[in-house]
Amino acid sequence: MDKPKKSALIQKDGVSISEITNKNSIENLKNKRKSEMDPNELVDSILNKDITALSRAITLIESKNPKHLKAANTILKGCLPHANKSVRIGITGIPGVGKSSFIETFGNHLTKLGKRVAVLAIDPSSSVSRGSILGDKTRMEDLVKNDNAYIRPSASGDSLGGVARKTRETITLCEAAGFNIIIIETVGVGQSETTVHSMVDFFLLLKLAGAGDELQGIKRGIIEMADLIAINKADGDNLKAAKLAKTEFTRALHLYPKKSSNWNPKVTVCSATENTGIDKIWSMVLDYVEITTKNAYFIKKRNEQNKYWLLQTIETQLKFYFFNQPKIKKELKNQLQLIENNKTTPFAAADYLLNL
Amino acid sequence: MDKPKKSALIQKDGVSISEITNKNSIENLKNKRKSEMDPNELVDSILNKDITALSRAITLIESKNPKHLKAANTILKGCLPHANKSVRIGITGIPGVGKSSFIETFGNHLTKLGKRVAVLAIDPSSSVSRGSILGDKTRMEDLVKNDNAYIRPSASGDSLGGVARKTRETITLCEAAGFNIIIIETVGVGQSETTVHSMVDFFLLLKLAGAGDELQGIKRGIIEMADLIAINKADGDNLKAAKLAKTEFTRALHLYPKKSSNWNPKVTVCSATENTGIDKIWSMVLDYVEITTKNAYFIKKRNEQNKYWLLQTIETQLKFYFFNQPKIKKELKNQLQLIENNKTTPFAAADYLLNL
């Protein structure tokens, strides 16, 4: 009975728990102990590039617990003067286009150049399903172990607006922690591209050769937003088709009006798995930054984005306050009924509700 | 000296001032005399299909003069119980696709079937330039003389929202005046399609063969909205290309998800100038009405549209009230400056302004 059981399953020797997991466990314990940590101390740690402090601060910002709000605001305020010194790159493309492997290769390329890279995500599905496109960090095996990279799964929230706010504030913290390249990933469907576009400097659209726009589920508006279209998986048998797609997209882009950035959107091919064309993409980003810094578009765009977020937040809140008043809730129902019965018009009903 | 001068210009005999102009002049005089007319009397006249009364009422609704507001509301209230008995058709397509000649042929076809047709327009440019796509009635020479048709140039306004409200209320008046087909025309660019789509039952997109989507300036979203795509100018040498385009669009439409109306969007060819395919388009509209009336989508959609307009109006007004407060105007400027100097975030600034 004391004899060790023989198992049919082969157990390999020497597979220890990965370093990452160990590190994380230790950090988690530390975090628990430091749970009453002063927000100002957290700011100092963030400025000293302490990743644990950064993660804890982001958690506070993402928290739905109202008692974390004050600490979150203190941290943000402390980080703000040290933020903004980065290039923010939005990356989109349909599932299957190879976003994760692209970010893995691109991110490692950048850290080799001495950059520090933070990867965030906006996931429209996360507000509903609590899923997260970056939840599975294992898809970026190398980058996750890279000391100069920081990967944060997408925030969850009740609305895309809420998720966006949290992501936007997370950018500030990452920048204060010395990350000078911020990558924001999203899935190429729905409203989330507009959201990402409104918080990045450079917008990169990943595409596949061969599949039509309809099949790729990409809306025309997204092509208009792109500063660079990269045809990914341009390797092996795919290379020829990718080059053809490049020609087609280049021609298509000519039909769009010139951008106010004075930057002509580019089209290129790359292969994340074979690490080809990645350096070229980075040099295009650098070109963009140079041109738009010279013509002051870079800073102008950031200011416009800030204004957009200010107005957007106000709008959302105004609506929220208005429609959550019990009197309005009740009368809205009545008015809708009156409209249905042809007793009033939508406009008269709106006037009535606003006058309440 | 009394001898009549001989002119080098040939003056044709028998060209009298057109009947329309005469009629209009008389009506205009009448209108001036009746300028203090009671709104309830106007309603009675509208219900008696008095076109002059209808025009005067629409002018009151379009008026920016606040003292016309009460009369306009009284008229609307009087007309509402008699409205809604119509098929509302939105028609869009880029300039040059032949919208005017299509509406001319289509409208005359409908009046021959005993229908009464009102043609309105939403023109995104009118809010800026005060121009009007239907301003030039001469482009619909026959329809304008047709007693069972009523053509109203697009309303002008400070915003698309304002123009939309006026057009929407004009629909109510036209329906009360016994027009059972309401056609709303718009140019296939920008936001105006969404606006038109949100006030019609059936959305018809006119296209040309040969030109790509990019060249036609048509956004993907518009194709998604269409219940019917008609390739116009399918005549002469163009016929073959039009039929080919029909096949292509039919295939493309299959890629879109099924509509909640249970209606499969159709593609057809037509020639407004040769009056071919026009009867088929009308029978497709009838099919649509039959199917969606049976499955109750028709009424459901109208209710949803009403709700949309109610909420839309409230949102616009809330923002207007908020941002026009002198205190907010001043503080908004300050906060934007603070954001630019990294002293606050857009979100903190929004919270601050909302708390004022």
Side-chain angles (χ1 to χ4, degrees):
Chain A
M1 265 204 186
D2 280 331
K3 220 172 68 178
K5 269 193 194 164
K6 262 208 166 170
S7 165
L9 291 164
I10 298 157
Q11 199 179 356
K12 274 195 191 158
D13 284 340
V15 176
S16 66
I17 298 162
S18 88
E19 240 178 76
I20 286 288
T21 319
N22 267 330
K23 231 197 240 169
N24 277 349
S25 310
I26 298 160
E27 306 288 27
N28 280 342
L29 276 171
K30 273 196 208 160
N31 284 352
K32 269 181 198 154
R33 262 178 262 138
K34 287 193 287 185
S35 65
E36 296 302 316
M37 200 181 188
D38 180 58
N40 290 312
E41 278 178 41
L42 266 181
V43 172
D44 288 342
S45 305
I46 289 171
L47 297 181
N48 282 324
K49 304 182 179 172
D50 177 341
I51 299 305
T52 313
L54 176 62
S55 291
R56 294 197 58 219
I58 295 173
T59 305
L60 278 174
I61 276 176
E62 289 178 352
S63 168
K64 284 191 181 67
N65 189 334
K67 66 181 180 184
H68 292 152
L69 189 66
K70 211 184 142 198
N73 283 338
T74 308
I75 295 166
L76 264 173
K77 209 155 188 178
C79 287
L80 259 177
H82 310 277
N84 287 310
K85 288 157 207 137
S86 73
V87 179
R88 303 169 187 161
I89 303 171
I91 296 182
T92 193
I94 50 155
V97 79
K99 283 190 296 299
S100 294
S101 32
F102 178 84
I103 293 172
E104 164 106 343
T105 311
F106 188 57
N108 282 318
H109 177 75
L110 295 175
T111 57
K112 270 177 209 151
L113 297 173
K115 304 287 175 192
R116 298 188 70 231
V117 181
V119 183
L120 314 173
I122 289 206
D123 180 0
S125 66
S126 72
S127 57
V128 182
S129 67
R130 311 280 158 192
S132 167
I133 46 176
L134 277 179
D136 186 10
K137 283 192 188 180
T138 53
R139 292 185 300 145
M140 297 180 193
E141 282 185 335
D142 285 331
L143 201 61
V144 86
K145 286 183 268 182
N146 190 322
D147 278 340
N148 288 312
Y150 177 69
I151 301 180
R152 178 84 187 184
S154 60
S156 68
D158 297 322
S159 65
L160 187 55
V163 173
R165 173 177 186 154
K166 286 165 188 171
T167 308
R168 196 105 207 300
E169 293 178 337
T170 300
I171 294 176
T172 298
L173 301 197
C174 291
E175 288 173 347
F179 289 101
N180 43 18
I181 311 283
I182 314 285
I183 292 174
I184 304 176
E185 176 191 355
T186 190
V187 172
V189 284
Q191 193 60 35
S192 57
E193 280 70 32
T194 318
T195 309
V196 171
H197 184 250
S198 64
M199 52 175 81
V200 298
D201 306 309
F202 189 90
F203 199 67
L204 168 60
L205 172 60
L206 292 180
K207 282 260 191 185
L208 292 177
D213 263 11
E214 285 87 1
L215 292 172
Q216 297 205 41
I218 297 284
K219 290 188 302 178
R220 183 160 308 276
I222 296 176
I223 293 187
E224 272 185 87
M225 283 189 239
D227 296 302
L228 171 61
I229 297 175
I231 324 281
N232 194 22
K233 303 193 180 177
D235 43 40
D237 295 343
N238 246 331
L239 189 59
K240 205 177 151 192
K243 283 184 177 168
L244 193 68
K246 181 187 160 182
T247 313
E248 275 170 20
F249 274 116
T250 308
R251 200 165 44 208
L253 281 179
H254 279 302
L255 295 167
Y256 289 101
K258 208 173 164 68
K259 291 195 171 192
S260 48
S261 56
N262 247 325
W263 167 258
N264 292 320
K266 304 279 183 291
V267 186
T268 190
V269 298
C270 69
S271 165
T273 50
E274 299 200 346
N275 196 354
T276 53
I278 302 294
D279 48 346
K280 201 170 166 191
I281 288 175
W282 174 237
S283 85
M284 281 172 175
V285 175
L286 284 180
D287 284 350
Y288 175 88
V289 174
E290 199 191 326
I291 289 176
T292 56
T293 303
K294 266 189 193 157
N295 68 18
Y297 179 82
F298 192 89
I299 186 71
K300 192 179 149 228
K301 186 176 179 183
R302 284 205 173 177
N303 285 336
E304 274 168 10
Q305 288 175 336
N306 281 330
K307 193 170 173 182
Y308 168 83
W309 284 104
L310 170 65
L311 299 180
Q312 200 61 32
T313 309
I314 290 177
E315 274 180 37
T316 311
Q317 292 295 327
L318 282 177
K319 280 194 273 175
F320 182 83
Y321 291 142
F322 184 81
F323 288 110
N324 274 289
Q325 294 169 71
K327 201 164 68 176
I328 296 295
K329 272 187 181 172
K330 196 185 135 216
E331 277 299 316
L332 180 62
K333 251 177 140 176
N334 290 342
Q335 290 294 315
L336 284 170
Q337 196 57 55
L338 288 173
I339 295 171
E340 233 171 89
N341 299 335
N342 291 327
K343 304 278 191 211
T344 187
T345 69
F347 306 105
D351 293 342
Y352 172 80
L353 289 170
L354 286 162
N355 283 327
L356 275 179
Chain B
M1 261 201 186
D2 280 330
K3 220 171 66 177
K5 270 192 191 167
K6 261 205 166 174
S7 166
L9 292 164
I10 298 158
Q11 199 179 353
K12 273 195 193 161
D13 284 341
V15 177
S16 65
I17 299 159
S18 89
E19 241 177 75
I20 287 288
T21 319
N22 266 330
K23 235 196 236 169
N24 278 349
S25 310
I26 298 161
E27 306 288 27
N28 281 341
L29 276 171
K30 272 195 208 162
N31 285 353
K32 270 179 196 156
R33 261 178 262 137
K34 286 193 285 185
S35 65
E36 296 302 316
M37 202 182 185
D38 181 59
N40 290 311
E41 277 178 41
L42 267 181
V43 172
D44 287 342
S45 304
I46 290 170
L47 297 181
N48 281 324
K49 304 182 179 173
D50 177 342
I51 298 305
T52 312
L54 175 62
S55 291
R56 293 196 58 217
I58 294 173
T59 304
L60 278 174
I61 277 176
E62 289 178 352
S63 169
K64 284 191 180 67
N65 189 335
K67 67 180 180 182
H68 292 152
L69 189 65
K70 212 184 141 199
N73 284 338
T74 308
I75 294 166
L76 265 173
K77 210 155 189 179
C79 286
L80 260 176
H82 310 277
N84 287 310
K85 287 157 207 139
S86 72
V87 180
R88 302 169 188 162
I89 303 171
I91 295 182
T92 194
I94 50 154
V97 78
K99 284 190 295 300
S100 294
S101 32
F102 178 84
I103 293 173
E104 163 107 341
T105 311
F106 188 58
N108 282 317
H109 178 74
L110 295 175
T111 57
K112 271 177 207 149
L113 297 172
K115 303 288 176 191
R116 297 188 72 231
V117 181
V119 183
L120 314 173
I122 289 205
D123 180 0
S125 66
S126 74
S127 59
V128 181
S129 67
R130 312 278 160 196
S132 168
I133 46 175
L134 277 181
D136 186 10
K137 283 191 187 180
T138 53
R139 291 185 301 146
M140 298 180 193
E141 282 186 335
D142 285 332
L143 202 60
V144 85
K145 286 183 266 182
N146 190 323
D147 278 340
N148 288 312
Y150 177 70
I151 302 178
R152 178 84 187 186
S154 60
S156 68
D158 297 322
S159 66
L160 187 55
V163 173
R165 173 176 187 154
K166 286 165 189 173
T167 308
R168 197 107 205 299
E169 293 178 337
T170 299
I171 294 176
T172 299
L173 301 198
C174 290
E175 288 173 347
F179 289 100
N180 43 19
I181 311 284
I182 314 286
I183 292 175
I184 304 177
E185 175 191 355
T186 192
V187 173
V189 285
Q191 193 58 35
S192 58
E193 281 68 34
T194 319
T195 309
V196 170
H197 185 248
S198 64
M199 52 174 81
V200 299
D201 306 309
F202 189 90
F203 199 66
L204 168 60
L205 171 60
L206 291 179
K207 283 258 193 186
L208 291 179
D213 264 11
E214 285 87 0
L215 293 173
Q216 298 205 39
I218 297 284
K219 291 188 303 181
R220 183 160 309 276
I222 296 177
I223 293 185
E224 271 184 270
M225 283 189 239
D227 296 301
L228 171 61
I229 297 175
I231 325 282
N232 194 23
K233 304 194 181 177
D235 41 43
D237 294 345
N238 246 330
L239 188 59
K240 205 178 152 192
K243 284 184 176 167
L244 193 68
K246 182 187 160 181
T247 312
E248 275 169 21
F249 275 115
T250 308
R251 200 165 46 210
L253 282 179
H254 279 303
L255 295 166
Y256 289 102
K258 208 173 160 69
K259 292 196 171 190
S260 49
S261 56
N262 247 325
W263 168 259
N264 292 319
K266 304 280 182 290
V267 186
T268 190
V269 297
C270 69
S271 165
T273 49
E274 299 200 347
N275 197 353
T276 53
I278 302 294
D279 49 346
K280 202 172 167 192
I281 289 175
W282 174 238
S283 86
M284 282 172 173
V285 175
L286 284 180
D287 284 351
Y288 175 88
V289 174
E290 199 191 326
I291 289 175
T292 56
T293 304
K294 266 188 192 157
N295 68 17
Y297 178 81
F298 192 89
I299 186 71
K300 191 178 150 229
K301 186 176 179 184
R302 285 203 172 178
N303 285 335
E304 275 168 8
Q305 288 175 336
N306 281 330
K307 194 172 173 182
Y308 167 83
W309 284 105
L310 170 65
L311 299 180
Q312 199 61 32
T313 308
I314 289 176
E315 274 180 38
T316 311
Q317 292 295 324
L318 282 177
K319 280 194 275 177
F320 181 83
Y321 290 142
F322 184 80
F323 288 110
N324 274 288
Q325 294 168 72
K327 201 163 69 176
I328 296 294
K329 271 188 182 173
K330 195 184 137 217
E331 277 299 317
L332 180 62
K333 251 176 137 175
N334 291 342
Q335 290 294 315
L336 283 170
Q337 196 56 55
L338 288 172
I339 296 171
E340 233 169 271
N341 299 336
N342 290 328
K343 305 278 190 211
T344 186
T345 69
F347 306 104
D351 293 343
Y352 172 79
L353 289 170
L354 285 162
N355 284 327
L356 276 180

